[in-house]
């Protein structure tokens, strides 16, 4: 398994500089990552830096709380796609999930999917650490009904990140066709292995370089042991 092709190379911290974002893009090209994931103000900049490469530009919408209006999420999505975003990671309205306002939750997701059109795949961030298993299942079902391409565990800015339990539950709920992205706290190859074994087919992490280097080192060691 080539982990590099599964990694969304991520920098979402509030003090990320242009120099750090540029380095992120250069590393993504060098290591063959699937995408870079940045805040929306950097989308156009990344799109220019990555032009001609296979690396996609991913951005976040309604991040990190998910509590902004649907209209706000829609506008942010339209701007991001216009700037060159190819993937949109939106945060579900967690308060509405807790209120069991399922129609609101569905319309919120559908509006972002519609705004993205056929130009960008939408990933729905559940923020699993704040939800019950019942709520996780329901949001996954709604995200699938609303036309999202992925469900995603976490923002990385709340009380917890991706767990094997949550990834397995999400995979079981959405089935084999829809994507499952694990994010939050993925810092080692061992963690990446556990989460992909549980059903994740995309990994959001700022430790992508470390993970890929660890995988290559492991492969070299295995080859030496054979010879």
């Amino acid at each position: 398994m080539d982990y590099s092709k599964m990694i969304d190379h991520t920098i979402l911290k509030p003090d990320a500089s242009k120099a750090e974002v540029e380095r992120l893009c250069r590393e993504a090209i060098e290591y063959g990552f699937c995408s870079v994931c940045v805040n929306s103000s950097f989308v156009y900049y990344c799109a220019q830096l990555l032009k001609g490469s296979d690396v996609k530009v991913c951005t976040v919408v309604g991040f990190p709380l998910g509590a902004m209006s649907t209209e706000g999420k829609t506008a942010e999505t339209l701007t991001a796609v216009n700037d060159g975003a190819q993937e949109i990671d939106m945060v579900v309205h967690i308060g509405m999930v807790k209120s069991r306002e399922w129609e609101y939750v569905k319309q919120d997701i559908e509006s972002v999917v519609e705004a993205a059109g056929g130009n960008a795949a939408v990933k729905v961030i559940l923020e699993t650490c704040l939800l019950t298993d019942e709520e996780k299942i329901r949001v996954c079902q709604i995200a699938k009904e609303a036309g999202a391409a992925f469900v995603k565990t976490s923002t990385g800015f709340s009380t917890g990140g991706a767990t094997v339990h949550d990834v397995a539950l999400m995979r079981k709920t959405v089935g084999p066709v829809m994507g499952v992205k694990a994010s939050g706290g993925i810092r080692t190859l061992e963690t990446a292995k556990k989460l992909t074994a549980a059903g994740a087919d995309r990994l959001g992490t700022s430790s992508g370089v470390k993970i890929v280097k660890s995988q290559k080192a492991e492969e070299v060691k295995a080859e030496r042991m054979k010879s």
Side-chain angles (χ1 to χ4, degrees), residues 173-195:
T173 302
V174 301
V177 179
M178 192 174 185
V180 174
K181 177 176 174 178
S183 62
I186 306 171
R187 300 183 181 92
T188 66
L189 177 61
E190 188 61 31
T191 300
K193 286 181 177 181
K194 290 176 181 177
L195 292 170

Side-chain angles (χ1 to χ4, degrees), residues 38-198:
V38 295
N39 284 300
S40 58
S41 60
F42 287 116
V43 167
Y44 184 79
Y45 184 55
C46 290
Q48 300 310 302
L49 291 173
L50 295 169
K51 190 175 291 184
S53 78
D54 293 330
V55 182
K56 298 176 183 178
V57 180
C58 172
T59 193
V60 288
V61 163
F63 193 86
L65 302 179
M68 70 191 295
S69 68
T70 298
E71 291 78 9
K73 290 178 182 177
T74 300
E76 193 173 11
T77 301
L78 289 169
T79 300
V81 171
N82 188 56
D83 284 347
Q86 295 156 290
E87 296 189 339
I88 303 290
D89 288 16
M90 70 162 289
V91 187
V92 74
H93 196 307
I94 301 159
M96 289 300 185
V97 173
K98 290 294 183 183
S99 301
R100 304 181 70 83
E101 293 284 350
W102 304 124
E103 189 57 34
Y104 181 103
V105 174
K106 185 176 182 182
Q107 289 178 358
D108 195 49
I109 298 170
E110 282 179 337
S111 295
V112 172
V113 171
E114 184 178 344
N119 300 305
V122 174
K123 309 189 198 89
V124 178
I125 305 174
L126 277 64
E127 202 67 285
T128 48
C129 60
L130 301 180
L131 305 181
T132 66
D133 281 1
E134 179 188 1
E135 290 164 345
K136 294 166 198 171
I137 290 168
R138 189 71 188 102
V139 176
C140 284
Q141 292 169 338
I142 290 172
K144 190 173 184 179
E145 292 167 7
F150 280 77
V151 285
K152 175 179 170 181
T153 61
S154 322
T155 62
F157 283 75
S158 190
T159 58
T163 68
V164 168
H165 169 79
D166 286 337
V167 168
L169 180 65
M170 292 162 71
R171 173 54 69 199
K172 181 180 179 181
T173 302
V174 301
V177 179
M178 192 174 185
V180 174
K181 177 176 174 178
S183 62
I186 306 171
R187 300 183 181 92
T188 66
L189 177 61
E190 188 61 31
T191 300
K193 286 181 177 181
K194 290 176 181 177
L195 292 170
T196 52

